[in-house]
Amino acid sequence: MHRLLFFSAAAGSLLPPPPPMAALAISSCGRRALLVDDNVINRMVVRKLMEEQGIALEEAENGKEAVELVKEGRVFDLILMDREMPIMDGPQATKQLRSLGVTTPIVALSADAMQSDKDSFLQAGADDFVEKPLNIDKFALVLTKYGLQDGQADQ
Amino acid sequence: MTPTEELNSLMNWMFSEGLLDQQFQQLQMLQDASNPDFVSEVITLFCKDSEIILAELTKLLRDQPVVDFQKVDAYVHQLKGSSSSVGANNVKLACIHFRQFYEENNKEGCFSSLNAMEREYFRLKDKLGTMLQLEQRIQAYESSKHN
């Protein structure tokens, strides 16, 4: 049986405005992540995945915003970086972050990227490549691999 | 058929026809008591976003003497990403199909592909609307049982 959706009575009406770009969720373990993706719906889904894990999330709409956040002194335990974005794409942003001395794991996200695209992203300094869409299982694997799974952070 | 049976039948049909895929089930799994409207919020935003994109694509392909294929590709890329994230499988596939015409700078091909994308999107939107109505009927019934 498919799980009931329980649409709200307000479904179909205008949504409240999305949270500000630098919104932080309350984290129980001090884990912080940065999501860099120009797609508002992708960000909504990943935001929920992060909330479920109690990870504080900041969001950037493109690579340039991500680099600026880091230059402002923000520190993250994980960066999820989309590939194709306006203004500055994922590989460019990754290269710049690495040149700034950022050693945070950067996980590249993309849908149906060619091998050459994946290679160039990894050569730019990304640690890993995950195919979109991000789902619960893929997300759990990423968190486990980089030590952000609930409980791992305390070890 | 009870509303619950109707809803299950509709959902099974939507999955078997490719309107929805596993990613939609992922969204359902993320919905919980702390955020009971998560799926409806995502879908509502997806619909709003998609219709804006489809309108912009129509303008770019129909109203401009020279097609800006880069802008067209950017919009299709957005729609492909969104549809993939919500599990709108056929819409996503229509976007992928569209890109081959963009790569050839084929305006006519892009236009017919846009029509296909619109058909898939509105077909999905219609069924999601039915799903909503059934959900509301079930909710109303459940509430009346408890009162």
Side-chain angles (χ1 to χ4, degrees), chain A residues 1-16 38-42 44-45 48-49 51-52 82-86 111-112 132-137, chain B residues 4 7-8 11-12 15 23 26-32 35-42 44-46 48 77-78 80-82 84-86 99 131-132 135 138-139:
Chain A
M1 175 176 165
H2 292 283
R3 182 175 164 168
L4 289 179
L5 299 177
F6 293 106
F7 284 102
S8 71
S13 62
L14 284 175
L15 292 173
D38 62 324
N39 189 300
V40 63
I41 288 155
N42 292 349
M44 205 169 167
V45 174
K48 186 72 171 108
L49 286 166
E51 273 173 23
E52 294 287 298
D82 188 27
R83 189 170 63 91
E84 281 185 54
M85 291 178 287
D112 55 77
K132 286 166 117 174
L134 206 54
N135 59 31
I136 294 167
D137 293 338
Chain B
T4 303
L7 179 61
N8 285 338
M11 294 294 288
N12 284 332
F15 281 97
Q23 183 67 12
Q26 293 284 317
L27 298 188
Q28 291 176 299
M29 287 164 70
L30 287 172
Q31 181 161 292
D32 55 25
N35 195 343
D37 298 327
F38 174 68
V39 177
S40 68
E41 285 173 6
V42 173
T44 303
L45 186 59
F46 166 72
K48 189 177 164 198
H77 175 73
Q78 280 288 312
K80 183 169 81 78
S82 306
S84 176
S85 275
V86 306
R99 281 190 123 175
M131 199 168 27
L132 166 63
E135 287 264 350
I138 293 166
Q139 249 188 313

Side-chain angles (χ1 to χ4, degrees), chain A residues 35-144:
Chain A
L35 170 64
V36 192
D37 195 321
D38 62 324
N39 189 300
V40 63
I41 288 155
N42 292 349
R43 291 200 306 270
M44 205 169 167
V45 174
V46 175
R47 196 182 302 142
K48 186 72 171 108
L49 286 166
M50 294 283 182
E51 273 173 23
E52 294 287 298
Q53 293 294 323
I55 296 173
L57 179 68
E58 288 203 56
E59 300 173 27
E61 283 189 359
N62 57 63
K64 185 165 182 273
E65 282 185 20
V67 171
E68 280 163 11
L69 282 174
V70 168
K71 283 181 176 175
E72 283 169 16
R74 302 280 217 283
V75 177
F76 303 101
D77 300 296
L78 177 70
I79 297 174
L80 298 178
M81 181 79 72
D82 188 27
R83 189 170 63 91
E84 281 185 54
M85 291 178 287
I87 303 173
M88 186 187 290
D89 66 18
Q92 276 186 294
T94 301
K95 214 178 274 187
Q96 286 207 16
L97 290 173
R98 292 302 187 218
S99 72
L100 290 170
V102 172
T103 57
T104 306
I106 297 176
V107 175
L109 302 174
S110 187
D112 55 77
M114 295 195 298
Q115 189 58 46
S116 55
D117 296 322
K118 294 181 186 179
D119 291 341
S120 68
F121 215 147
L122 294 170
Q123 276 162 22
D127 296 278
D128 215 334
F129 197 102
V130 174
E131 285 230 19
K132 286 166 117 174
L134 206 54
N135 59 31
I136 294 167
D137 293 338
K138 285 182 200 173
F139 188 61
L141 284 172
V142 168
L143 293 187
T144 304

Side-chain angles (χ1 to χ4, degrees), chain B residues 84-118:
Chain B
S84 176
S85 275
V86 306
N89 182 62
N90 283 356
V91 176
K92 176 190 75 180
L93 292 175
C95 293
I96 292 169
H97 186 66
F98 184 106
R99 281 190 123 175
Q100 74 184 53
F101 294 111
Y102 148 77
E103 279 160 8
E104 294 166 5
N105 281 7
N106 181 338
K107 182 177 175 178
E108 291 310 312
C110 283
F111 209 81
S112 75
S113 210
L114 171 61
N115 290 336
M117 264 161 50
E118 282 182 325

